[in-house]
């Protein structure tokens, strides 16, 4: 692990597990390392990255504007599957945040991620910028093998992929904008609207974005496997099929996953989309789970996976 932290500090890339999905990390203050990160992912420079930090104290390096409700969120849900966005005018024009006057911060709970960030901090680091370790618009990786399949060929021999097994949650963090007087969910995840509302005791901001901020909901098409993703239709013979375990497989369809709960659905979703591609299937039909708990995030991702396919 110390080797990985040192390698990051020298400007190399390190892929690491988190409880949500695998990230591909770079020193958030190193311009050259960040440039390589964007190029490995084929991601446009205008798309901001999440900076992974070790403690709330470290957030002070990145922003001075932390509202009280954000402190409550941080105390309740960090370390964990939640990203908070704060404003910072002085960061405008920076590469790490896509040039915006704001910064996204997260303290993950995965033990390997925690140790890596702590050791990087001990070496003088201020945070690890890490997007999901997949090519732009593709499916996020939930095990180390997915990372090598997706971006292995684009890494150099000095870069490292840490293997922490399968991600427990399997779907990206909830992103909450903490820029205005009320929190606003920009990307749903395992920390749900209800959990946020119960924690902060105020209503969430909803409705149309009032600024030109680039945020996750902007991309209608994302999280796409090669197979066509079709939602809530009866699978035809030869098509892949994913649904909660109590739903029967249509005759001739190829059952790829039978999760027993929405949580299992989330943790199996991306691996199942990848499996459809490994099996060279043209189509995978998914029966959406109920929109409760992490189900809201699953539906959000699947609507993007299937965009223009329906
Ligand atoms: O669970 C996760 O959040 C994973 C793990 C590795 O931490 N990371 C992740 O990163 O999903 P990425 O880059 O694949 O998605 C981050 C999203 C992007 O859609 C980006 O637009 C949004 O976060 N984002 C980052 N900084 C932002 C900012 N300052 N303002 C608005 N959106 C921001
Ligand atoms: Mg991503």
């Amino acid at each position: 692990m110390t080797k990985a932290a040192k390698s990051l500090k020298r400007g190399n890339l390190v892929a690491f597990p988190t409880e949500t999905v695998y990230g591909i990390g770079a020193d958030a203050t190193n311009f050259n390392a960040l440039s390589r990160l964007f190029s490995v992912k084929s991601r446009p420079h205008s798309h901001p990255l999440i900076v992974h930090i070790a403690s709330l104290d470290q957030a002070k390096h990145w922003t001075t504007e932390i509202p009280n409700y954000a402190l409550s969120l941080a105390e309740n849900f960090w370390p964990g599957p939640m990203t908070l966005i704060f404003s910072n005018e002085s960061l405008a024009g920076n590469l790490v945040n896509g040039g915006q006057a704001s910064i996204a911060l997260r303290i993950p709970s995965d033990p390997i991620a925690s140790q890596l960030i702590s050791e990087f901090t001990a070496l003088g680091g201020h945070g690890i910028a890490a997007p999901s370790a997949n090519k732009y618009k593709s499916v996020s990786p939930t095990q180390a093998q997915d990372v090598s399949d997706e971006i292995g060929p684009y890494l150099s021999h000095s870069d490292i992929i840490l293997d922490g097994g399968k991600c427990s949650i399997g779907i990206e963090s909830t992103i909450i904008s903490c820029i205005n007087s009320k929190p606003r969910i920009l990307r749903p995840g395992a920390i749900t609207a209800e959990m946020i509302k119960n924690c902060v005791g105020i209503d969430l901001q909803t409705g149309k974005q009032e600024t030109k901020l680039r945020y996750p909901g902007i991309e209608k098409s994302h999280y796409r496997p090669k197979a066509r993703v079709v939602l809530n239709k009866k699978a035809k013979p030869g098509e892949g099929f994913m649904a909660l375990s109590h739903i029967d497989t249509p005759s001739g369809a190829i059952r790829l996953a039978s999760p027993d709960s929405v949580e299992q659905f989330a943790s199996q979703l991306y691996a199942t989309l990848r499996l459809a591609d490994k099996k060279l299937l043209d189509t995978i039909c998914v029966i959406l789970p109920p929109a409760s708990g992490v189900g809201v995030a699953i539906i959000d991702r699947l609507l993007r996976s299937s965009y223009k396919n329906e």
Side-chain angles (χ1 to χ4, degrees), residues 20 43 48 50 52 85 102 104 106 131-132 173 175 187 214:
T20 58
R43 176 161 163 151
I50 298 172
H52 297 68
I85 295 182
S102 60
R106 171 166 181 234
S132 51
S173 61
I175 302 185
R187 179 177 71 184
R214 283 183 301 278

Side-chain angles (χ1 to χ4, degrees), residues 96-120:
V96 71
N97 59 353
Q100 309 192 74
S102 60
I103 191 74
L105 301 175
R106 171 166 181 234
I107 304 180
S109 64
D110 177 276
I112 294 181
S114 300
Q115 203 185 330
L116 177 69
I117 304 164
S118 300
E119 291 191 5
F120 180 71

Side-chain angles (χ1 to χ4, degrees), residues 41 132 134 140 222:
K41 265 190 72 91
S132 51
N134 51 279
S140 298
H222 199 148

Side-chain angles (χ1 to χ4, degrees), residues 208-227:
K208 222 172 160 276
Q209 277 277 350
E210 63 286 356
T211 63
K212 283 203 193 122
L213 196 76
R214 283 183 301 278
Y215 64 100
I218 271 173
E219 290 163 349
K220 287 205 171 74
S221 162
H222 199 148
Y223 314 106
R224 291 177 83 96
K226 291 190 183 72

Side-chain angles (χ1 to χ4, degrees), residues 3-144:
K3 187 177 157 215
K6 282 186 179 158
S7 188
L8 268 176
K9 201 74 184 67
R10 278 197 298 268
N12 298 310
L13 306 182
V14 174
F16 59 96
T18 81
E19 65 280 22
T20 58
V21 300
Y22 274 73
I24 170 82
D27 180 345
T29 61
N30 182 328
F31 182 87
N32 290 334
L34 293 171
S35 299
R36 261 198 73 224
L37 185 56
F38 280 101
S39 109
V40 162
K41 265 190 72 91
S42 312
R43 176 161 163 151
H45 281 196
S46 56
H47 280 251
L49 304 172
I50 298 172
V51 177
H52 297 68
I53 53 175
S55 65
L56 188 56
D57 205 44
Q58 211 169 13
K60 292 179 195 142
H61 177 82
W62 296 100
T63 183
T64 50
E65 295 172 53
I66 305 183
N68 281 336
Y69 69 77
L71 287 175
S72 310
L73 289 171
E75 272 158 26
N76 268 272
F77 302 122
W78 272 349
M82 177 185 74
T83 297
L84 300 180
I85 295 182
F86 301 105
S87 70
N88 185 345
E89 291 296 330
S90 68
L91 285 177
N94 231 282
L95 187 55
V96 71
N97 59 353
Q100 309 192 74
S102 60
I103 191 74
L105 301 175
R106 171 166 181 234
I107 304 180
S109 64
D110 177 276
I112 294 181
S114 300
Q115 203 185 330
L116 177 69
I117 304 164
S118 300
E119 291 191 5
F120 180 71
T121 305
L123 296 171
H126 291 298
I128 304 174
S132 51
N134 51 279
K135 281 290 193 185
Y136 182 53
K137 296 210 171 193
S138 165
V139 177
S140 298
T142 50
Q143 53 188 346

